[in-house]
Amino acid sequence: MWLKPEEVLLKNALKLWLMERSNEYFVLQRRRGYGEEGGGGLTGLLVGTLDSVLDSTAKVAPFRILHQTPDSQVYLSIACGANREEITKHWDWLEQNIMKTLSVFDSNEDITNFVQGKIRGLIAEEGKQSFAKEDDPEKFREALLKFEKSFGLPEQEKLVTYYSCSYWRGRVPCQGWLYLSTNFLSFYSFLLGSEIKLIISWDAISKLEKTSSVIVAESIHVCSQGENHYFSMFLHINETYLLMEQLTNYAIKRLFDKETFDNDPVLDDPLQITKRGLEYRAHSEQFKAFFRLPKEETLKEVHECFLWVPFSHFSTHGKMCISENYICFASQDGNLCSVIIPLREVLAVDKTDDSSRSVIISIKGKTAFRFNEVKDFEQLVAKLRLKCRAASTQDDGSTEVAISSDSTGLSENFEEQPLTFPKECSKTVNTEALMTVFHPQNLENLDSKMLKEKMKEQSWNILFSECGRGVSMFRTKKTRDLVVRGIPETLRGELWMLFSGAVNDMAANPGYYAEVVEQSLGTSNLATEEIERDLRRSLPEHPAFQSDTGISALRRVLTAYAYRNPKIGYCQAMNILTSVLLLYAKEEEAFWLLVAVCERMLPDYFNRRIIGALVDQAVFEELIRDHLPQLTDHMTDMTFFSSVSLSWFLTLFISVLPIESAVNVVDCFFYDGIKAILQLGLAILDYNLDKLLTCKDDAEAVTALNRFFDNVINKDSPLPSNVQQGSNINDGKSNHAKVDITDLIRESNEKYGSIRYEDIHSMRCRNRLYVIQTLEETTKQNVLRVVSQDVKMSLQELDELYVIFKKELFISCYWYLSCPGLKHHDPSLSYLEQYQIDCQQFRVLFHLLCPWAHSANRDSLALWTFRLLDENSDCLINFKEFSSAIDIMYNGSFTEKLKLLFKLHIPPAYTEVISKTSSKGDELSTEELLYFSQLQVSKPADGKETELGRKSPEKGKGKIDIQAYLSQWQDELLKKEENIKDLPRMNQSQFIQFSKTLYNLFHEDPEEEALYQAIAIVTNLLLRMEEVGRKLHSPASSAKGLSSVACDSGPSEGNTESSVKKDPSSPREEHQWSFAFEQILASLLNEPALVRFFERPLDLKAKLEKAKSSQLRSRTKM
């Protein structure tokens, strides 16, 4: 590798280098200890240790080339190499291209300048074809070389970054280098002759966390496949950990959670991942989550500045964040002030002429925001004006969807200017919230509760007069305090839309809901069936859902969402949440609120595996351990909290609290996100701590919590008594004290408000690994339980085979943008169908595991085996099918192995294989392999088509056919063992190929000669038998030609091939010769050498161990 020229003062410093070649201008040196017998003694060991520990050019490679000028003691390092071949190539190039040119220069300075320029030009040219960019530091180029040399991974593997650290082997730290690449975490150390090389794929990591101990202050703990690894002594441990966390979660998403990854174009190409890109992405995700912006937004610019807060008469310090369609601000001085300004609302962007470097943004509603002390404010103003011009162009011709109130107006004006969306959706869509229809407020009869409600409204109107109203209002600590007290009934829908960010989704998609409703009407699938079943279970005690008005609105919203997002479709708990949304928001608003909850605020909650809810339950357990340790010590099994809290997270406490109390929880959720739910959960456990500590079992604890929920009230709720679910309890005599929901929420904020969003995000990432790997382990155990009943392999062998099978699927997905394997992982399918491999992946595994893989025609054998296993002709096979073939090869009887070989040489498995590339012999290219695997071959009509058609009921259908599954299961139970008499006969060309395969299998066997002789005798005998049979059926016909061929055939493969050439020349007859399986079996049983060959015990365990160690290397070679 060419290096950026750097000065080397002493060419033989410390005698670490030995001269190999030299001329007038260049010196080729070898590192002492490399290429010497015995490693160069103690000096060689010391040099090797220095190479591993020190960050220098010498560390990188054992060979280097220096440029020297006569009469000078200064040398320049210009090239290095990992081996002699590489450095010799560079040396030869210098002699052929540079040496002759240098003689024309007059001065040594000109020579040095020329050499430096030439080497830099070579590096620039090299960088165009390398993953290391031209502007990367020189050290990164060196690290890339060391990474490639040390681990031998495919050149497509992209090194993201590297760090110096210590790896703890027991209690001994080993200093070395940690390399983070797109698919692997790798560590290399060489100390005093002891080499440590560690490669862990990101998808195999089940735990990643920062830990500390008595010995090490801070370290990173990595758990992979049951093994623990600890890395410490990082210069920037937080940066390293965050990057490892991102790469791990990226791999988990890409390989296990394809649904999320499909919607993530940023990380679609693993070869484009960079450290800077990952950091940028992390900031962008944090930005969108904090401001609740649409998922399409990306963070473009960040500017530190001060925002003038008019109602407080001071400027708050913070950061202005700019995306494609929004300008946002968040304070950083503890004032909890934030602002979101959509560009669609901006009327003008101005700058001041004074020294304040201010940017003034005017929006609709006569409101202006002043940002002071903005660096590069003039350029920023120019950019914002361009953005606003583009946004206004997009909005031309469309209906305005949001109105921002004048922050200087009187409070009375705000009742006339709520957040409105005038665009009509559809005649069938409700334009009013159900609460206003079924519970209109009676302003003439104001009781104490209604008076309190009016006081709440007045408090919010005062806030609106100060902070503005609408999407661009100031959000401050006072806003949070009012939310904790409970949002007034009349403002609830409007503020839910604001705080959730649903207002922005709705504004960006005018008319979308009406279109989706019309398109989804009349559709029938599994989701709509489940929706219909649950419609009348959604708040059945509420009058709104005892009428067709509420039921129809609920049906439209849920069906429209299932149509919009078929990957989620419909999940139980969505009906409960949506029914509450419909009470306080208009129908279209309720739809967008549901979108915000399912797709942004509670990601991965409402799908088949409810991964998001399981992750947050794990986070909740972690918080319980931190904040309520006495409860953790008392509970023997932490899964109790998971089972009891699942409904809390899925329904935001709506399913366990009375409706009048639950809506206050929803208020806090839309303002604070999942943090509000976690805080409330901790407060509830804390409130019931004494009772829970006295409980003897889980049932008693559940009863205590249910009794507590029954006694949670909302004393200020203006809802009528026939709607309040807790009213009948409130009126009755109860020994249990009532708990007001407002007090409970306030207490949760006071005690647990210190929990930070960043901590929750980190815990979510950490626990997501654990949850997904646990689900994967469950999948594996279920697959092994099903498959173990049909094979003779031990459970341990089956487990190792499954790991290799799944690993091959993942390896083939590591370096390819459009990997077919990724499309085949669907966690919603049955366990057996979740992971399936195609023909190319099967060929790799066949070469690694099959005892017949040494055969000359092994690619053809792999192809035919794949076609045999692919019964439903979808060009994919699952683990059960794969393991059945391996089991026969290793544990099958003589008859079973022979039957497998026989079936490989008859349709549908067999197809004639002709490689287009004759130079490769029997080896097939990937294109040829995939072509032949998809080739349809006619086979005897045996009525199997319909059976195979229902082999996999879920394939090609919009929903899973349960009846088809039951029918398939019944057929499998009744299926009898295949009778050898049912096998089709093998025709002459197939038999000849069958004989050739047997010859190839016997190659290099200890009994090779005896086996060749035996197969020649069997072939001869079978042909004679067939000749006699033909004479009996057709005396006039003659088979002398075939007989002579059979008589003359010897043990060589050439004789068998001669029969192929002779046969086509004979005239075609109606009755061509063919063989039944019984005939071949009986003939082969008469030859002891053949029986010994097929009944010889094979060591599957050793083969699996070898395959595991060479699986990645085999992919590298390919």
Side-chain angles (χ1 to χ4, degrees), residues 1018-1062:
V1018 169
T1019 307
N1020 191 357
L1021 177 62
L1022 286 169
L1023 290 173
R1024 286 181 178 278
M1025 288 168 57
E1026 181 59 24
E1027 182 183 358
V1028 173
R1030 289 186 57 180
K1031 284 182 179 179
L1032 290 172
H1033 284 89
S1034 180
S1037 66
S1038 173
K1040 288 180 181 178
L1042 289 171
S1043 179
S1044 63
V1045 172
C1047 293
D1048 295 338
S1049 65
S1052 67
E1053 191 176 321
N1055 290 335
T1056 310
E1057 289 176 350
S1058 67
S1059 63
V1060 187
K1061 296 173 185 175
K1062 290 184 181 182

Side-chain angles (χ1 to χ4, degrees), residues 37 157 204 235 285 295 305 323 326 358 413 452 631 640 714 857 908 925 930 1035 1037 1066:
E37 292 185 8
E157 182 65 12
L235 191 60
E285 291 293 328
K295 57 186 178 183
C305 60
S323 67
Y326 295 87
S358 299
N413 295 339
K452 285 185 178 180
L631 189 58
F640 161 76
N714 185 351
N857 65 335
S925 67
L930 294 176
S1037 66
S1066 60

Side-chain angles (χ1 to χ4, degrees), residues 104-344:
V104 304
F105 292 103
D106 297 326
S107 68
N108 292 336
E109 187 179 349
D110 290 341
I111 291 173
T112 303
N113 291 337
F114 174 78
V115 171
Q116 286 181 320
K118 192 66 179 176
I119 298 302
R120 286 196 176 97
L122 289 171
I123 292 172
E125 189 64 32
E126 203 177 56
K128 294 176 184 177
Q129 304 166 351
S130 170
F131 286 121
K133 306 299 181 201
E134 282 184 52
D135 58 349
D136 281 342
E138 187 64 27
K139 288 182 181 178
F140 187 84
R141 298 184 73 250
E142 297 174 7
L144 180 60
L145 180 73
K146 181 69 178 280
F147 173 70
E148 292 172 349
K149 171 199 165 191
S150 300
F151 303 104
L153 295 170
E155 60 180 13
Q156 299 100 320
E157 182 65 12
K158 172 75 180 296
L159 178 63
V160 178
T161 189
Y162 67 103
Y163 299 96
S164 171
C165 71
S166 289
Y167 171 65
W168 289 82
R169 197 158 59 168
R171 289 182 170 270
V172 181
C174 303
Q175 185 66 25
W177 294 89
L178 181 71
Y179 299 91
L180 307 183
S181 58
T182 48
N183 298 295
F184 298 97
L185 177 157
S186 311
F187 178 83
Y188 183 82
S189 173
F190 184 86
L191 292 170
L192 298 177
S194 175
E195 183 182 56
I196 299 175
K197 191 181 293 186
L198 185 70
I199 302 177
I200 302 172
S201 57
W202 295 116
D203 57 84
I205 294 177
S206 56
K207 183 180 282 187
L208 178 68
E209 60 183 355
K210 280 193 295 185
T211 60
S212 59
S213 63
V214 178
I215 302 174
V216 186
E218 267 191 314
S219 65
I220 296 176
H221 172 213
V222 177
C223 181
S224 170
Q225 297 177 341
E227 295 183 1
N228 293 305
H229 308 276
Y230 292 90
F231 303 91
S232 66
M233 301 185 191
F234 291 95
L235 191 60
H236 306 289
I237 190 167
N238 289 330
E239 174 195 302
T240 309
Y241 176 75
L242 288 173
L243 204 58
M244 291 170 72
E245 188 178 70
Q246 283 182 289
L247 286 166
T248 308
N249 280 284
Y250 158 69
I252 292 293
K253 271 188 178 184
R254 183 164 185 254
L255 299 172
F256 295 124
D257 195 10
K258 189 62 172 59
E259 293 179 9
T260 309
F261 195 83
D262 273 339
N263 300 322
D264 197 348
V266 179
L267 294 180
D268 199 34
D269 185 358
L271 302 183
Q272 299 304 317
I273 296 177
T274 61
K275 178 185 174 185
R276 189 180 302 171
L278 288 170
E279 290 171 349
Y280 162 76
R281 176 182 170 75
H283 292 147
S284 189
E285 291 293 328
Q286 188 179 6
F287 160 72
K288 285 188 289 186
F290 184 83
F291 292 107
R292 308 275 166 75
L293 298 181
K295 57 186 178 183
E296 296 80 16
E297 296 297 311
T298 54
L299 181 62
K300 296 296 184 184
E301 294 180 56
V302 178
H303 298 270
E304 283 205 28
C305 60
F306 289 85
L307 173 63
W308 174 251
V309 185
F311 52 88
S312 298
H313 303 290
F314 75 93
S315 293
T316 181
H317 176 255
K319 289 185 177 180
M320 179 199 295
C321 305
I322 301 172
S323 67
E324 290 88 346
N325 299 295
Y326 295 87
I327 303 167
C328 305
F329 176 88
S331 64
Q332 293 183 295
D333 53 9
N335 290 311
L336 299 177
C337 177
S338 64
V339 171
I340 301 170
I341 308 172
L343 293 182
R344 64 177 182 272

Side-chain angles (χ1 to χ4, degrees), residues 577-594:
L577 177 61
T578 308
S579 56
V580 172
L581 299 178
L582 282 166
L583 288 177
Y584 294 99
K586 299 171 186 177
E587 189 175 317
E588 184 180 8
E589 294 173 346
F591 171 80
W592 288 111
L593 284 168
L594 184 63

Side-chain angles (χ1 to χ4, degrees), residues 900-911:
L900 175 62
L901 280 171
F902 182 87
K903 290 167 73 175
L904 294 182
H905 293 82
I906 58 174
Y910 179 76
T911 181

Side-chain angles (χ1 to χ4, degrees), residues 1086-1097:
N1086 287 327
E1087 297 298 326
L1090 291 171
V1091 175
R1092 283 196 302 272
F1093 175 83
F1094 284 107
E1095 290 190 342
R1096 184 184 303 152

